[in-house]
Short mmCIF file of all heavy atoms in Angstrom, two decimals:
data_model
loop_
_atom_site.label_atom_id
_atom_site.label_comp_id
_atom_site.label_asym_id
_atom_site.label_seq_id
_atom_site.Cartn_x
_atom_site.Cartn_y
_atom_site.Cartn_z
N GLU A 1 -50.14 -98.38 109.06
CA GLU A 1 -48.95 -97.60 108.77
C GLU A 1 -48.36 -96.98 110.15
O GLU A 1 -47.19 -96.87 110.31
CB GLU A 1 -49.25 -96.49 107.78
CG GLU A 1 -49.49 -97.05 106.40
CD GLU A 1 -48.24 -97.76 105.87
OE1 GLU A 1 -47.07 -97.20 106.00
OE2 GLU A 1 -48.38 -98.81 105.32
N LEU A 2 -49.29 -96.56 110.99
CA LEU A 2 -48.87 -96.03 112.25
C LEU A 2 -48.19 -97.08 113.09
O LEU A 2 -47.20 -96.78 113.85
CB LEU A 2 -50.01 -95.33 113.05
CG LEU A 2 -50.49 -94.07 112.40
CD1 LEU A 2 -51.87 -93.65 113.06
CD2 LEU A 2 -49.49 -92.95 112.60
N GLU A 3 -48.67 -98.25 113.14
CA GLU A 3 -47.99 -99.33 113.92
C GLU A 3 -46.65 -99.61 113.31
O GLU A 3 -45.70 -99.83 114.13
CB GLU A 3 -48.89 -100.58 113.82
CG GLU A 3 -50.14 -100.49 114.74
CD GLU A 3 -51.13 -101.65 114.56
OE1 GLU A 3 -50.89 -102.59 113.73
OE2 GLU A 3 -51.99 -101.77 115.39
N ARG A 4 -46.53 -99.61 112.02
CA ARG A 4 -45.14 -99.72 111.41
C ARG A 4 -44.24 -98.64 111.80
O ARG A 4 -43.09 -98.89 112.17
CB ARG A 4 -45.20 -99.86 109.92
CG ARG A 4 -45.78 -101.13 109.43
CD ARG A 4 -45.74 -101.23 107.88
NE ARG A 4 -44.80 -100.36 107.20
CZ ARG A 4 -44.77 -100.22 105.92
NH1 ARG A 4 -45.69 -100.84 105.07
NH2 ARG A 4 -43.92 -99.39 105.38
N PHE A 5 -44.74 -97.42 111.88
CA PHE A 5 -43.96 -96.32 112.30
C PHE A 5 -43.48 -96.43 113.82
O PHE A 5 -42.34 -96.16 114.09
CB PHE A 5 -44.77 -95.01 112.14
CG PHE A 5 -44.11 -93.76 112.73
CD1 PHE A 5 -42.96 -93.19 112.15
CD2 PHE A 5 -44.59 -93.21 113.93
CE1 PHE A 5 -42.35 -92.10 112.66
CE2 PHE A 5 -44.01 -92.11 114.47
CZ PHE A 5 -42.87 -91.55 113.81
N VAL A 6 -44.43 -96.84 114.62
CA VAL A 6 -44.06 -97.01 116.09
C VAL A 6 -43.01 -98.04 116.27
O VAL A 6 -42.07 -97.82 117.06
CB VAL A 6 -45.35 -97.45 116.89
CG1 VAL A 6 -44.98 -97.87 118.21
CG2 VAL A 6 -46.35 -96.23 116.95
N GLU A 7 -42.98 -99.11 115.41
CA GLU A 7 -41.91 -100.04 115.48
C GLU A 7 -40.49 -99.45 115.21
O GLU A 7 -39.53 -99.96 115.61
CB GLU A 7 -42.14 -101.19 114.54
CG GLU A 7 -43.22 -102.16 115.04
CD GLU A 7 -42.78 -102.72 116.39
OE1 GLU A 7 -41.64 -103.12 116.62
OE2 GLU A 7 -43.64 -102.77 117.34
N THR A 8 -40.47 -98.38 114.38
CA THR A 8 -39.18 -97.79 114.05
C THR A 8 -38.59 -96.85 115.20
O THR A 8 -37.49 -96.42 115.05
CB THR A 8 -39.24 -96.97 112.73
OG1 THR A 8 -40.02 -95.80 112.93
CG2 THR A 8 -39.77 -97.82 111.59
N LEU A 9 -39.40 -96.64 116.11
CA LEU A 9 -38.97 -95.70 117.25
C LEU A 9 -37.87 -96.27 118.04
O LEU A 9 -37.92 -97.50 118.39
CB LEU A 9 -40.13 -95.32 118.14
CG LEU A 9 -41.33 -94.61 117.50
CD1 LEU A 9 -42.46 -94.44 118.60
CD2 LEU A 9 -40.91 -93.32 116.97
N SER A 10 -36.96 -95.48 118.36
CA SER A 10 -35.80 -96.00 119.24
C SER A 10 -35.48 -94.93 120.26
O SER A 10 -34.55 -94.09 120.01
CB SER A 10 -34.59 -96.47 118.52
OG SER A 10 -33.72 -95.44 118.26
N GLY A 11 -36.31 -94.79 121.27
CA GLY A 11 -36.08 -93.81 122.32
C GLY A 11 -36.77 -92.51 121.99
O GLY A 11 -36.82 -91.64 122.95
N ASP A 12 -37.36 -92.33 120.81
CA ASP A 12 -38.06 -91.12 120.53
C ASP A 12 -39.45 -91.17 121.18
O ASP A 12 -40.04 -92.19 121.50
CB ASP A 12 -38.33 -91.01 119.01
CG ASP A 12 -37.05 -90.87 118.21
OD1 ASP A 12 -36.16 -90.17 118.67
OD2 ASP A 12 -36.94 -91.53 117.16
N LYS A 13 -39.99 -89.98 121.52
CA LYS A 13 -41.27 -89.86 122.15
C LYS A 13 -42.30 -89.49 121.09
O LYS A 13 -42.04 -88.55 120.25
CB LYS A 13 -41.32 -88.92 123.25
CG LYS A 13 -40.52 -89.42 124.46
CD LYS A 13 -40.63 -88.47 125.58
CE LYS A 13 -39.83 -89.09 126.76
NZ LYS A 13 -40.06 -88.29 127.96
N VAL A 14 -43.46 -90.11 121.07
CA VAL A 14 -44.58 -89.75 120.10
C VAL A 14 -45.82 -89.70 120.91
O VAL A 14 -46.08 -90.47 121.85
CB VAL A 14 -44.62 -90.88 119.05
CG1 VAL A 14 -45.80 -90.62 118.15
CG2 VAL A 14 -43.37 -90.98 118.34
N GLY A 15 -46.69 -88.74 120.47
CA GLY A 15 -48.05 -88.73 121.06
C GLY A 15 -49.09 -89.01 119.95
O GLY A 15 -48.74 -89.13 118.78
N LEU A 16 -50.31 -89.24 120.38
CA LEU A 16 -51.33 -89.63 119.51
C LEU A 16 -52.56 -88.70 119.67
O LEU A 16 -53.16 -88.68 120.77
CB LEU A 16 -51.79 -91.07 119.62
CG LEU A 16 -52.84 -91.54 118.67
CD1 LEU A 16 -52.36 -91.52 117.19
CD2 LEU A 16 -53.15 -93.02 119.02
N VAL A 17 -52.87 -87.88 118.62
CA VAL A 17 -54.02 -87.00 118.65
C VAL A 17 -54.99 -87.52 117.53
O VAL A 17 -54.52 -87.72 116.40
CB VAL A 17 -53.59 -85.52 118.36
CG1 VAL A 17 -54.78 -84.64 118.34
CG2 VAL A 17 -52.61 -85.08 119.50
N VAL A 18 -56.23 -87.61 117.83
CA VAL A 18 -57.22 -87.95 116.80
C VAL A 18 -58.21 -86.90 116.66
O VAL A 18 -58.43 -86.11 117.56
CB VAL A 18 -57.87 -89.36 117.18
CG1 VAL A 18 -56.95 -90.51 117.21
CG2 VAL A 18 -58.66 -89.24 118.54
N PHE A 19 -58.87 -86.82 115.47
CA PHE A 19 -59.77 -85.87 115.18
C PHE A 19 -60.90 -86.33 114.39
O PHE A 19 -60.71 -87.24 113.51
CB PHE A 19 -59.14 -84.59 114.59
CG PHE A 19 -58.52 -84.89 113.26
CD1 PHE A 19 -59.24 -84.60 112.12
CD2 PHE A 19 -57.19 -85.34 113.19
CE1 PHE A 19 -58.61 -84.82 110.92
CE2 PHE A 19 -56.63 -85.57 111.95
CZ PHE A 19 -57.37 -85.34 110.82
N ALA A 20 -62.07 -85.70 114.52
CA ALA A 20 -63.25 -85.88 113.66
C ALA A 20 -64.13 -84.75 113.99
O ALA A 20 -65.01 -84.80 114.76
CB ALA A 20 -63.92 -87.20 113.94
N GLY A 21 -63.82 -83.57 113.37
CA GLY A 21 -64.48 -82.34 113.74
C GLY A 21 -63.74 -81.61 114.88
O GLY A 21 -63.31 -80.43 114.73
N SER A 22 -63.58 -82.23 115.94
CA SER A 22 -62.74 -81.77 117.02
C SER A 22 -61.58 -82.74 117.33
O SER A 22 -61.61 -83.88 116.88
CB SER A 22 -63.56 -81.48 118.33
OG SER A 22 -64.19 -82.64 118.70
N ALA A 23 -60.63 -82.34 118.04
CA ALA A 23 -59.48 -83.19 118.31
C ALA A 23 -59.34 -83.51 119.79
O ALA A 23 -59.63 -82.74 120.64
CB ALA A 23 -58.15 -82.46 117.83
N ILE A 24 -58.80 -84.76 120.13
CA ILE A 24 -58.53 -85.12 121.49
C ILE A 24 -57.20 -85.81 121.50
O ILE A 24 -56.78 -86.46 120.52
CB ILE A 24 -59.66 -86.04 122.09
CG1 ILE A 24 -59.74 -87.35 121.34
CG2 ILE A 24 -60.88 -85.32 122.16
CD1 ILE A 24 -60.52 -88.32 122.07
N THR A 25 -56.53 -85.67 122.59
CA THR A 25 -55.24 -86.39 122.78
C THR A 25 -55.47 -87.78 123.36
O THR A 25 -56.08 -87.88 124.49
CB THR A 25 -54.32 -85.61 123.70
OG1 THR A 25 -54.12 -84.26 123.14
CG2 THR A 25 -52.99 -86.30 123.91
N LEU A 26 -55.21 -88.85 122.61
CA LEU A 26 -55.33 -90.16 123.08
C LEU A 26 -54.21 -90.61 123.93
O LEU A 26 -54.32 -91.32 124.89
CB LEU A 26 -55.62 -91.19 121.99
CG LEU A 26 -56.93 -91.31 121.37
CD1 LEU A 26 -56.98 -92.40 120.40
CD2 LEU A 26 -57.95 -91.54 122.50
N SER A 27 -52.99 -90.16 123.49
CA SER A 27 -51.76 -90.50 124.27
C SER A 27 -50.84 -89.30 124.26
O SER A 27 -50.54 -88.74 123.24
CB SER A 27 -51.06 -91.70 123.53
OG SER A 27 -49.85 -91.92 124.10
N PRO A 28 -50.45 -88.89 125.48
CA PRO A 28 -49.43 -87.90 125.61
C PRO A 28 -48.11 -88.36 125.11
O PRO A 28 -47.94 -89.59 124.79
CB PRO A 28 -49.42 -87.60 127.05
CG PRO A 28 -49.81 -88.83 127.76
CD PRO A 28 -50.80 -89.47 126.79
N LEU A 29 -47.08 -87.54 124.96
CA LEU A 29 -45.79 -87.95 124.44
C LEU A 29 -45.31 -89.13 125.34
O LEU A 29 -45.26 -89.06 126.52
CB LEU A 29 -44.78 -86.80 124.56
CG LEU A 29 -45.01 -85.74 123.52
CD1 LEU A 29 -43.99 -84.60 123.77
CD2 LEU A 29 -44.89 -86.20 122.10
N THR A 30 -44.84 -90.18 124.61
CA THR A 30 -44.33 -91.37 125.33
C THR A 30 -43.38 -92.11 124.48
O THR A 30 -43.47 -92.01 123.21
CB THR A 30 -45.47 -92.26 125.72
OG1 THR A 30 -44.95 -93.40 126.49
CG2 THR A 30 -46.28 -92.85 124.64
N SER A 31 -42.53 -92.91 125.07
CA SER A 31 -41.66 -93.83 124.28
C SER A 31 -42.08 -95.26 124.46
O SER A 31 -41.44 -96.18 124.06
CB SER A 31 -40.19 -93.63 124.76
OG SER A 31 -40.02 -93.80 126.06
N ASP A 32 -43.21 -95.40 125.16
CA ASP A 32 -43.79 -96.73 125.52
C ASP A 32 -44.53 -97.28 124.22
O ASP A 32 -45.64 -96.91 124.01
CB ASP A 32 -44.70 -96.64 126.63
CG ASP A 32 -45.26 -97.96 127.14
OD1 ASP A 32 -45.13 -98.98 126.38
OD2 ASP A 32 -45.79 -98.05 128.23
N LYS A 33 -43.86 -98.14 123.48
CA LYS A 33 -44.46 -98.72 122.26
C LYS A 33 -45.74 -99.54 122.56
O LYS A 33 -46.63 -99.44 121.77
CB LYS A 33 -43.46 -99.61 121.56
CG LYS A 33 -42.27 -98.86 120.93
CD LYS A 33 -41.35 -99.86 120.22
CE LYS A 33 -40.12 -99.16 119.75
NZ LYS A 33 -39.25 -100.04 119.01
N SER A 34 -45.75 -100.23 123.65
CA SER A 34 -46.88 -101.03 124.00
C SER A 34 -48.10 -100.17 124.24
O SER A 34 -49.24 -100.54 123.77
CB SER A 34 -46.64 -101.87 125.24
OG SER A 34 -45.59 -102.77 125.04
N ALA A 35 -47.96 -99.07 124.89
CA ALA A 35 -49.03 -98.15 125.20
C ALA A 35 -49.60 -97.59 123.85
O ALA A 35 -50.83 -97.48 123.61
CB ALA A 35 -48.64 -97.06 126.16
N LEU A 36 -48.63 -97.10 123.02
CA LEU A 36 -49.13 -96.53 121.68
C LEU A 36 -49.86 -97.64 120.90
O LEU A 36 -50.87 -97.31 120.23
CB LEU A 36 -47.85 -96.11 120.92
CG LEU A 36 -47.23 -94.77 121.45
CD1 LEU A 36 -45.92 -94.51 120.75
CD2 LEU A 36 -48.21 -93.63 121.25
N LYS A 37 -49.35 -98.87 120.90
CA LYS A 37 -50.07 -99.91 120.13
C LYS A 37 -51.40 -100.15 120.66
O LYS A 37 -52.41 -100.36 119.93
CB LYS A 37 -49.26 -101.20 120.14
CG LYS A 37 -48.07 -101.12 119.22
CD LYS A 37 -47.27 -102.38 119.27
CE LYS A 37 -46.06 -102.35 118.42
NZ LYS A 37 -45.23 -103.55 118.51
N MET A 38 -51.54 -100.10 121.98
CA MET A 38 -52.87 -100.27 122.62
C MET A 38 -53.85 -99.20 122.15
O MET A 38 -54.98 -99.40 121.80
CB MET A 38 -52.79 -100.19 124.15
CG MET A 38 -54.06 -100.38 124.84
SD MET A 38 -53.94 -100.17 126.61
CE MET A 38 -53.67 -98.40 126.73
N PHE A 39 -53.39 -97.95 122.15
CA PHE A 39 -54.18 -96.78 121.68
C PHE A 39 -54.56 -96.98 120.15
O PHE A 39 -55.70 -96.73 119.83
CB PHE A 39 -53.52 -95.50 121.94
CG PHE A 39 -53.64 -95.09 123.36
CD1 PHE A 39 -52.36 -94.98 124.10
CD2 PHE A 39 -54.79 -94.78 124.00
CE1 PHE A 39 -52.39 -94.57 125.43
CE2 PHE A 39 -54.83 -94.34 125.34
CZ PHE A 39 -53.66 -94.23 126.03
N LEU A 40 -53.57 -97.36 119.40
CA LEU A 40 -53.84 -97.59 117.97
C LEU A 40 -54.91 -98.68 117.72
O LEU A 40 -55.71 -98.62 116.87
CB LEU A 40 -52.58 -97.86 117.19
CG LEU A 40 -51.58 -96.74 117.08
CD1 LEU A 40 -50.27 -97.24 116.45
CD2 LEU A 40 -52.17 -95.68 116.16
N ASP A 41 -54.83 -99.79 118.52
CA ASP A 41 -55.77 -100.86 118.45
C ASP A 41 -57.15 -100.43 118.75
O ASP A 41 -58.14 -101.01 118.29
CB ASP A 41 -55.37 -102.07 119.25
CG ASP A 41 -54.17 -102.78 118.78
OD1 ASP A 41 -53.83 -102.63 117.60
OD2 ASP A 41 -53.59 -103.53 119.57
N SER A 42 -57.28 -99.45 119.62
CA SER A 42 -58.64 -99.00 119.99
C SER A 42 -59.24 -97.95 119.10
O SER A 42 -60.37 -97.54 119.33
CB SER A 42 -58.56 -98.42 121.50
OG SER A 42 -57.91 -97.14 121.42
N LEU A 43 -58.53 -97.50 118.13
CA LEU A 43 -59.01 -96.46 117.26
C LEU A 43 -60.34 -96.97 116.50
O LEU A 43 -60.37 -98.03 115.96
CB LEU A 43 -58.05 -96.08 116.11
CG LEU A 43 -56.89 -95.21 116.60
CD1 LEU A 43 -55.97 -94.92 115.45
CD2 LEU A 43 -57.38 -93.95 117.35
N ASN A 44 -61.35 -96.09 116.44
CA ASN A 44 -62.53 -96.36 115.70
C ASN A 44 -63.27 -95.03 115.46
O ASN A 44 -62.76 -93.97 115.99
CB ASN A 44 -63.40 -97.40 116.37
CG ASN A 44 -63.96 -96.89 117.74
OD1 ASN A 44 -64.49 -95.88 117.84
ND2 ASN A 44 -63.67 -97.71 118.81
N THR A 45 -64.28 -95.08 114.72
CA THR A 45 -64.94 -93.82 114.30
C THR A 45 -65.77 -93.21 115.50
O THR A 45 -66.35 -92.14 115.35
CB THR A 45 -65.81 -94.03 113.13
OG1 THR A 45 -66.78 -95.07 113.34
CG2 THR A 45 -65.02 -94.34 111.93
#
């Protein structure tokens, strides 16, 4: 679902924060779809 959302971006900036008890920023605000997809592909528990 997040990958589908990233595809709809057109110049907007999005960041990625993940959490499991505590939170970390995986990606700061960016409009780079390729970078966001790379971070999404690396998501695991």
Side-chain angles (χ1 to χ4, degrees):
E1 289 300 314
L2 287 169
E3 286 176 352
R4 284 183 24 187
F5 172 73
V6 167
E7 282 303 314
T8 68
L9 299 176
S10 90
D12 298 318
K13 291 186 177 185
V14 176
L16 182 61
V17 176
V18 297
F19 63 93
S22 59
I24 62 167
T25 301
L26 277 187
S27 172
L29 289 176
T30 184
S31 57
D32 184 347
K33 292 180 184 182
S34 298
L36 286 169
K37 287 180 183 178
M38 180 187 70
F39 285 114
L40 288 172
D41 287 343
S42 72
L43 286 182
N44 63 56
T45 56

